[in-house]
Amino acid sequence: MTRATHVKANAARFPVPQSRDEVNEAIARIGLLQRERERIQADMNDELAKVRLRFEELATPLNEQITGLSQGVHTWCEAHRLELTRSGKTKFYDFAAGEIKWRLRPPRVSLQSAENVLETLKRLGLTRFIRVKEQLNKEAMLAEPEVVSGVAGVKIEQSEDFVIVPFGSNLEEVA
């Protein structure tokens, strides 16, 4: 016994134009909506800038006080570092109101002129400090797709976008 299956017609979730004139009207409407969206975004950015400025102005004197107090605490703690760290046995101290810490950052390399350093390292035979990086040249593959078409793992792909550009609009809508 076979069970009958019912297939419901999927109603379009978006309006589909039925003529060239309706397509033209839809494109015009898209342009109008894009411009309105840009106005809304510009208004939002203006409001956000005002709010940010207002709160930054409120926070500025507090930031200045925090910076001044922090520098004073740092100066005092440096002057009393041996006492606070038990002659360097610890790197922190707990006050009743909070903790201070000395943290040693990891070492880092800073270079003045990478080209000069590379030349000097090569000249001194210190090539172990030079990294040679192999990379696939995708641009060359795109220039000669027939040569790499048989190479396992290489696939040249191309897709197509449908783009609507209403007149008077800078933004594109990609469907």
Side-chain angles (χ1 to χ4, degrees), residues 7 23 47 58 62 69 71 76 79-80 100 120 136 146-147 154 157 160-161 173-175:
V7 179
V23 168
E47 290 296 317
L58 290 172
L62 301 176
L69 289 168
Q71 289 172 347
W76 188 90
H80 296 85
I100 55 101
T120 304
L136 295 174
E146 66 284 347
V147 175
V154 177
E157 299 176 317
E160 179 180 70
D161 288 331
E173 288 296 323
V174 178

Side-chain angles (χ1 to χ4, degrees), residues 23-115:
V23 168
N24 190 52
E25 289 172 19
I27 291 172
R29 179 86 174 126
I30 289 169
L32 179 72
L33 294 170
Q34 284 177 336
R35 289 186 297 279
E36 182 61 28
R37 181 179 64 192
E38 288 173 16
R39 281 190 285 276
I40 291 170
Q41 182 147 4
D43 290 345
M44 178 191 70
N45 289 337
D46 290 346
E47 290 296 317
L48 287 173
K50 289 176 192 172
V51 169
R52 184 176 293 117
L53 180 63
R54 190 179 76 208
F55 282 98
E56 284 175 355
E57 287 173 352
L58 290 172
T60 296
L62 301 176
N63 289 338
E64 291 170 356
Q65 289 181 45
I66 290 169
T67 299
L69 289 168
S70 296
Q71 289 172 347
V73 167
H74 183 226
T75 301
W76 188 90
C77 288
E78 281 298 328
H80 296 85
R81 186 171 184 162
L82 288 177
E83 170 191 338
L84 296 172
T85 62
R86 294 183 295 156
S87 298
K89 292 179 182 166
T90 64
K91 293 194 170 269
F92 64 93
Y93 185 81
D94 288 325
F95 287 92
E99 180 181 56
I100 55 101
K101 300 177 184 181
W102 284 272
R103 290 189 188 149
L104 190 60
R105 292 182 183 176
R108 67 182 185 94
V109 176
S110 69
L111 304 171
Q112 302 292 315
S113 168
E115 295 84 24

Side-chain angles (χ1 to χ4, degrees), residues 1 14-15 21 26 44 51 66 73 95 106 112 133 136 140 143 148-149 153 155 158 163 165 170 174:
M1 177 176 197
F14 47 85
D21 288 341
M44 178 191 70
V51 169
I66 290 169
V73 167
F95 287 92
Q112 302 292 315
K133 187 174 179 182
L136 295 174
V148 294
S149 64
K155 184 168 33 171
Q158 187 171 18
V163 180
V165 184
N170 292 333
V174 178

Side-chain angles (χ1 to χ4, degrees), residues 115-127:
E115 295 84 24
N116 291 344
V117 173
L118 276 171
E119 289 175 24
T120 304
L121 289 172
K122 287 176 185 176
R123 190 170 20 88
L124 295 174
L126 299 173
T127 56

